[in-house]
Amino acid sequence: MKTPGLKYICLSDLHLGEEDSLLTNLYKNKHKADTSKPSPVILLLKDFFYRIIKDSDKFPEKKPTLIILGDGLDLALSYTNTSVMAFERFIETFFCNSEEPLFNEIIYIPGNHDHHIWETARELQYAKYIDRHFQEKEIPIPWHRTKAIPKDAKDFISSPILKSAVSRVIQRKNIPLKIQIKILYPNFIEYNPERNRFIVFHHGHFFERLYYLMSDLQNIIFPEEGKEFPPENINNIEAENFAWIDFFWSTMGRSGKGEKVDRVWEMLQSERGKEKLIENLSKGLAKKFDIPLIPGNYIEEKTLKIFLKGIAKLLSRGLERRIKEEDLSKSSYGLLRHYISKVIFNQIRDELGLNDEEIKNSELTLIFGHTHKPLNRQEKIEPYTSLIKIYNTGGWVSDHPKLDPVYGGMAVFVDEEDNVVGLKLFSLGTKEKLHPVEEGSSEDKPSYLHKYLTEKVDENKDVLEEFSITLQRAAEIRAAHLRKLID
């Protein structure tokens, strides 16, 4: 059988540093991150990946690139130092603790929980740019995206915090290893001109209306401006909404005692916890502030309860990852269609100069995460003539009081011929046989990559059995803690 050369392996929603992450190590009998060593799940995942990668074409001379597709570090619900130390254990595991480093580099595409990684990288790049162009009197408006289709090294940018984490690992171990972490945001598009094929990598937060909040408010407050909604230009989307995303998902969670924000999030997981949270908040606000025209605290408290219940409903049920009934809600699917048909279409045209017909007749695959709910499907999305192949990588978090198989993790593999195959690694609370999934190859038959991964799954049943048992045990520990907390 032909052995494929692996180009990319894509994971998302690792949430390193957050106690509910299966890839964050915990102290024994204590729901607190122990960042002194990697989690058992990470170690077994590395062993399985090594068995896949070591037999791929031209390894170790030619290694795949690891794509972390957003929420790699959790800066919303854990402290920065905790997340960075957990990331160091991740780097040690995949680059230092094998016979060979598994990857040649990391392409890191921030999401919402690690949006601040993008913001700090962007601001540093902008500062360096205006410093270099000191002769120019006019300073340009800051940009809010990178090129989606990089042509050379300068199209990627560097994250100071991730670079420092890697440097600490290398210096501590005193090894002659160069590990590059390249930042792109919010899209990375792999383009194959010979096959007119595009693979789009995006975290997925812009498939959810919450992340267009400022764009939404602008249209409500200033309807006379007649702005398009949702916006069709990626720079406009991020420019209008970046401050809100960065505040709520990166900054607020790390302000003061950040674990209190995590506790609020956990309390929203049950009706009892939600009621207790709303009751405490309503009473506290009614005592502290006097609402005009409403006498006494009792009516104020009841009024606040109604308002806060609406907010709680938005946070706990309105979020895509909280919808358990389907792998992708109708609302998110509508925004996904818009993003692919308008935003990605426009970005491809602007960066490559292709005409509309060339883009319409291309093959396009979308890989995203964010929802923690793996999926693979094909959909007809105008104006593209071919079916769009869609993969969701799921997530590595157990943050519900009961394990639900709608949540799980998938790794997505891309080979040198740009074949894309998903490998479902787990569903929470259920044991299932791992099997690669490939959405309709051009040749209408399984690709060599699909056959290769199927063979590797069959060869490594021992590692996969241990991986499954260890992962489900880790998930149940976290679910049990949450049940105890919210009850």
Side-chain angles (χ1 to χ4, degrees), residues 167-316:
S167 177
R168 278 168 51 87
V169 170
I170 291 173
Q171 290 183 76
R172 203 162 46 236
K173 288 188 170 290
N174 193 26
I175 50 176
L177 190 63
K178 187 177 182 182
I179 305 171
Q180 280 195 309
I181 301 183
K182 302 175 176 179
I183 304 291
L184 292 174
Y185 182 83
N187 304 316
F188 168 40
I189 302 176
E190 174 74 13
Y191 175 46
N192 185 328
E194 293 180 3
R195 297 190 175 193
N196 196 22
R197 180 180 291 178
F198 297 94
I199 304 173
V200 177
F201 300 88
H202 170 65
H203 176 62
H205 51 305
F206 286 131
F207 303 159
E208 198 165 359
R209 189 153 186 156
L210 179 64
Y211 299 91
Y212 294 88
L213 180 63
M214 293 300 114
S215 299
D216 238 343
L217 287 176
Q218 285 183 46
N219 286 350
I220 292 169
I221 298 169
F222 306 110
E224 68 277 3
E225 293 185 4
K227 280 192 171 185
E228 62 192 19
F229 185 88
E232 297 180 1
N233 177 283
I234 188 57
N235 198 70
N236 292 345
I237 293 173
E238 180 68 15
E240 291 172 8
N241 297 283
F242 81 95
W244 145 246
I245 295 170
D246 207 61
F247 163 71
F248 193 81
W249 298 107
S250 285
T251 308
M252 188 173 72
R254 293 176 291 116
S255 299
K257 289 190 175 294
E259 68 269 12
K260 293 293 187 269
V261 177
D262 192 16
R263 179 74 184 275
V264 168
W265 187 259
E266 289 170 335
M267 289 179 74
L268 288 170
Q269 305 309 307
S270 76
E271 289 304 318
R272 188 187 301 180
K274 199 183 303 177
E275 285 291 334
K276 182 67 174 174
L277 180 67
I278 290 170
E279 183 182 338
N280 289 348
L281 192 54
S282 301
K283 283 181 178 178
L285 290 173
K287 287 179 181 178
K288 191 171 182 64
F289 301 105
D290 182 56
I291 301 176
L293 306 180
I294 301 180
N297 289 340
Y298 178 77
I299 298 176
E300 289 179 347
E301 185 182 328
K302 294 297 180 185
T303 305
L304 284 165
K305 266 190 179 180
I306 294 170
F307 173 73
L308 292 171
K309 279 184 178 180
I311 296 295
K313 184 177 179 181
L314 171 67
L315 287 174
S316 61

Side-chain angles (χ1 to χ4, degrees), residues 346-408:
N346 291 339
Q347 194 166 13
I348 290 172
R349 182 180 55 202
D350 294 345
E351 292 192 19
L352 292 179
L354 299 179
N355 62 49
D356 288 3
E357 289 303 312
E358 288 175 304
I359 304 173
K360 288 178 184 178
N361 294 321
S362 65
E363 284 186 46
L364 193 144
T365 299
L366 168 68
I367 303 171
F368 73 106
H370 181 63
T371 68
H372 298 187
K373 299 179 287 186
L375 67 83
N376 57 281
R377 64 171 68 163
Q378 293 189 84
E379 297 286 353
K380 177 63 180 157
I381 299 179
E382 299 292 345
Y384 303 95
T385 56
S386 298
L387 291 173
I388 306 298
K389 302 163 189 175
I390 302 172
Y391 295 86
N392 184 291
T393 50
W396 294 80
V397 169
S398 175
D399 61 351
H400 290 79
K402 183 179 178 182
L403 301 183
D404 193 315
V406 72
Y407 302 104

Side-chain angles (χ1 to χ4, degrees), residues 400-442:
H400 290 79
K402 183 179 178 182
L403 301 183
D404 193 315
V406 72
Y407 302 104
M410 178 188 286
V412 177
F413 294 77
V414 181
D415 69 14
E416 294 289 344
E417 296 179 357
D418 287 325
N419 296 302
V420 180
V421 178
L423 181 59
K424 180 78 172 291
L425 294 169
F426 68 94
S427 295
L428 290 180
T430 185
K431 187 175 180 180
E432 59 182 46
K433 186 181 186 302
L434 271 68
H435 62 280
V437 290
E438 182 172 37
E439 289 303 316
S441 65
S442 305

Side-chain angles (χ1 to χ4, degrees), residues 79-95:
Y79 290 118
T80 301
N81 65 316
T82 304
S83 291
V84 171
M85 288 186 290
F87 181 67
E88 289 179 4
R89 304 295 82 75
F90 182 88
I91 292 293
E92 288 171 353
T93 301
F94 286 97
F95 286 86

Side-chain angles (χ1 to χ4, degrees), residues 3 44 62 74-75 167 199 227 256-257 323 329 343 466:
T3 303
L44 289 167
K62 201 165 189 178
D74 196 312
L75 300 181
S167 177
I199 304 173
K227 280 192 171 185
K257 289 190 175 294
I323 299 173
S329 69
V343 179
E466 188 181 0

